[in-house]
Amino acid sequence: MNKKTAALHNLGCKVNEYETERMKRALVDAGYAIVPFTEEADVYVINTCTVTAVADQKSRQMLHRARRLNPEAVVVAAGCFVQTAVAKDGVEKVLAETGADILLGNNEKTALPQKIEDFLSGRTAVEDIIDINERGLSFEEMGAPSEDADSLNRTSGFLKIQDGCDRFCSYCLIPYARGRSRSRATADILKEAEALAKRGLTELVVTGIHIGSFKGADDGADITDLLEQLCDVPGIERVRIGSLEPVTVTEDFAKRLSSKKELCPHFHMSLQSGSDTVLARMNRHYTTEEFAASVGYLRKYFDNPAITTDIICGFPGETEEEFEETLAFAQRIGFYEIHVFPFSSREGTRAAKMPGQLSKAVKAGRVNRLISQQKSAKKAYMESFIGKEVRVLFEQEETIDGKPYVSGYSMNYLRVLVDEAAACRTRNSIDGGRAHLIGTEIPVAVTGIDDDDTVWGETVLN
């Protein structure tokens, strides 16, 4: 008897990626065979996103695509777009607009297999959208991936520690999509980390919606305490942190974690604007000087850390002078990478009603100017490693001009390309003949820059 098949597609952030992998695990455990989303399947699950208007559009498009792939399939719309769209327009309208059979909100994704069975029993639409802003809501425990999960073929994996956000930035729908901040129990986090290590993952990427607000549900541990404990998990060689805010990155935070060799010196701190007046309108809860102080702590205790960020261009009322302040501040900090976004108006937020809404042309122009400026800062950071040695965790094989290479990331998030044959020869001399490189961490001497995103390297002996 052939197994029922399911295909999943993820949209959005690292938290969504984590949850999509866990939903996949639940379907495997329920007896489904997982197939690529491009193939015909009995069930399609789209984990949606609502961070921008474009994300909403993509969510709807992928749901309609699933229906076209197999008109008889069960189509499940899950996650943030569903959560906010139902709150705004109601269940019937969302079902009609998306063509979905099942609407599954946040904090209810573990119910996926049962909801599919409920639908199959009656072939009538199923919805499970709870009040996500209920203050007593607890963290949805989704567990570690099963041994059949695709993530076991990778060298790194996401580890979700927290959900929700209490910040209510004036432009953001996420608190309405994800609910109030709630943390996972420290013991459960460590248990999953240990399980992932036993199954071969060497790098943990710690993620959540607002991880700086983490407070262990069982022991009250803060984010610094937790990261120290994760670094001590046997088999885990790297711990990479998700997005942080200046209030989290204190001198104590930087000093304590700098003693952990497993902690990657790669810190993503979402700036959003380099103008204090714009930050105030955004309700971002910090100033540019506080942000700069946090960066200073990281650079004091870590050797040449990678500092990355997000910046929104064209926030309502942003003047040319305010944008110039952002350009100047970004140049002052010297970010390794900036994820640049034009402001996206989201119905239901305060920013959508603010005066001074800017045109698409103005926003696009400012995006391009910031990206252009950032290129030189990124190049300078990458060049600072030429002639130096970094340790690279190799993740995949690539072919360039017919020649095989392997690529991976250094702890400070440099993407490194190495000649596969030369790397195998070096690896053989290190471990007596093992030539398989994927999943191994090897010292590499950086020799040059390939393009805006990659450096070349040569493997070296310890």
Side-chain angles (χ1 to χ4, degrees), residues 151-168:
S151 64
L152 298 182
N153 297 321
R154 300 201 301 261
T155 57
S156 66
F158 296 117
L159 182 61
K160 182 182 172 185
I161 66 166
Q162 178 274 341
D163 205 344
C165 182
D166 297 337
R167 302 302 253 181
F168 289 92

Side-chain angles (χ1 to χ4, degrees), residues 144-457:
S146 67
E147 294 182 3
D148 293 328
D150 289 347
S151 64
L152 298 182
N153 297 321
R154 300 201 301 261
T155 57
S156 66
F158 296 117
L159 182 61
K160 182 182 172 185
I161 66 166
Q162 178 274 341
D163 205 344
C165 182
D166 297 337
R167 302 302 253 181
F168 289 92
C169 297
S170 62
Y171 54 83
C172 186
L173 275 178
I174 297 305
Y176 305 100
R178 284 282 175 176
R180 301 285 181 156
S181 181
R182 52 203 183 275
S183 298
R184 192 177 183 184
T186 302
D188 290 337
I189 296 170
L190 295 175
K191 182 179 178 180
E192 180 173 352
E194 290 164 0
L196 291 171
K198 288 178 181 177
R199 294 172 186 173
L201 272 72
T202 56
E203 179 179 278
L204 298 177
V205 182
V206 178
T207 190
I209 298 301
H210 185 222
I211 65 174
S213 66
F214 173 81
K215 190 67 69 174
D218 54 345
D219 62 358
D222 65 17
I223 185 64
T224 311
D225 300 327
L226 176 65
L227 290 170
E228 287 180 325
Q229 293 180 72
L230 287 173
C231 287
D232 292 335
V233 172
I236 295 301
E237 299 177 10
R238 294 182 174 192
V239 175
R240 198 176 296 278
I241 316 171
S243 185
L244 299 168
E245 289 188 350
V247 66
T248 304
V249 185
T250 62
E251 184 160 15
D252 179 68
F253 172 94
K255 184 177 182 179
R256 285 170 59 184
L257 293 178
S258 66
S259 67
K260 295 294 184 181
K261 62 179 179 58
E262 297 84 4
L263 199 287
C264 292
H266 167 219
F267 302 95
H268 187 85
M269 295 174 57
S270 291
L271 174 62
Q272 304 302 4
S273 176
S275 166
D276 285 334
T277 49
V278 174
L279 286 175
R281 295 201 299 276
M282 288 180 167
N283 194 34
R284 286 295 290 173
H285 306 283
Y286 56 80
T287 66
T288 53
E289 286 310 307
E290 289 169 335
F291 189 99
S294 293
V295 172
Y297 296 140
L298 295 173
R299 287 178 170 156
K300 176 180 178 181
Y301 290 99
F302 291 89
D303 181 22
N304 203 8
I307 310 295
T308 60
T309 197
D310 304 309
I311 292 180
I312 296 171
C313 294
F315 189 77
E318 182 185 66
T319 64
E320 179 62 26
E321 290 74 20
E322 287 172 327
F323 179 65
E324 290 286 349
E325 290 173 0
T326 292
L327 288 175
F329 188 73
Q331 190 166 33
R332 170 187 166 188
I333 295 298
F335 293 104
Y336 168 44
E337 285 185 339
I338 301 177
H339 303 145
V340 186
F341 305 92
F343 169 73
S344 178
S345 181
R346 311 299 287 125
E347 184 180 349
T349 64
R350 282 180 290 153
K353 300 177 182 179
M354 287 182 177
Q357 302 285 330
L358 303 182
S359 69
K360 288 184 178 179
V362 170
K363 289 187 284 189
R366 291 179 180 177
V367 165
N368 291 335
R369 287 166 63 189
L370 181 55
I371 290 174
S372 179
Q373 174 182 288
Q374 169 58 20
K375 286 182 178 180
S376 60
K378 182 170 185 176
K379 182 180 179 182
Y381 183 76
M382 293 166 70
E383 287 179 337
S384 71
F385 288 91
I386 294 177
K388 297 180 180 179
E389 184 179 303
V390 296
R391 295 194 65 85
V392 179
L393 181 60
F394 289 106
E395 298 183 356
Q396 64 182 17
E397 298 175 334
E398 299 184 29
T399 301
I400 302 175
D401 296 329
K403 189 175 181 179
Y405 291 85
V406 285
S407 66
Y409 287 87
S410 67
M411 292 191 74
N412 51 359
Y413 214 55
L414 289 175
R415 182 176 181 272
V416 182
L417 266 174
V418 173
D419 179 282
E420 185 174 38
C424 284
R425 288 194 296 271
T426 303
R427 189 66 190 170
N428 287 347
S429 65
I430 292 174
D431 63 15
R434 183 182 177 194
H436 185 62
L437 299 168
I438 306 305
T440 62
E441 188 180 54
I442 301 173
V444 172
V446 177
T447 57
I449 296 177
D450 177 63
D451 54 31
D452 289 341
D453 297 308
T454 306
V455 300
W456 290 103

